[in-house]
Amino acid sequence: QVQLVQAGGDSVQAGGSLRLSCKSSEYTYNPKCMTWFRQAPGKQREGVAQIYTDTNITFYAASVRGRFTISQDNAKNTLYLQMNNLKPEDTAVYYCAADACVFTASLQRYWGQGTQVTVSS
């Protein structure tokens, strides 16, 4: 059973930065894609960033493009989400997920435990 363990959530002011991490427990697990999702109170879970693990091709939701960067460190078996110029509307619980290459939560196979990001104005 693959476990994805997240770290890095916090409370910051608007304009600030945070980096989230997501470490896989299984070094032999090679998902096709890794995706960051977020869920704000009362809203559906939405995909915000995705990376193809073999090519490093990335995709972003329009709401975060230019501010967020998804990356991976294969040696550490860890996925990252660098979030810059954070806005109050970025406030949500953030989740990493594997391994479908779509921004569809129901198709993902494994999930991290979630981490809270709160951005104050």
Side-chain angles (χ1 to χ4, degrees), residues 1-2 6 8 22 32 39 49 55 60 71 75 77 84 95 101:
Q1 179 75 9
V2 174
Q6 296 180 225
C22 171
K32 180 69 172 178
Q39 188 165 19
T55 62
Y60 296 93
S71 63
N77 226 29
N84 298 328
Y95 300 88
C101 297

Side-chain angles (χ1 to χ4, degrees), residues 39-118:
Q39 188 165 19
K43 294 188 176 182
Q44 288 190 334
R45 196 168 296 190
E46 63 171 348
V48 296
Q50 186 173 86
I51 187 167
Y52 278 68
T53 60
D54 54 349
T55 62
N56 280 320
I57 293 173
T58 57
F59 295 94
Y60 296 93
S63 58
V64 306
R65 192 174 297 125
R67 299 187 298 120
F68 290 12
T69 302
I70 186 172
S71 63
Q72 59 181 350
D73 184 333
N74 292 328
K76 296 181 179 179
N77 226 29
T78 301
L79 178 76
Y80 299 100
L81 185 67
Q82 178 68 43
M83 304 183 293
N84 298 328
N85 191 22
L86 282 160
K87 303 176 181 181
E89 51 263 42
D90 294 319
T91 296
V93 178
Y94 283 72
Y95 300 88
C96 60
D99 55 8
C101 297
V102 289
F103 278 169
T104 305
S106 61
L107 296 180
Q108 303 302 321
R109 187 175 183 186
Y110 298 110
W111 289 91
Q113 81 276 17
T115 185
Q116 177 71 45
V117 171
T118 303

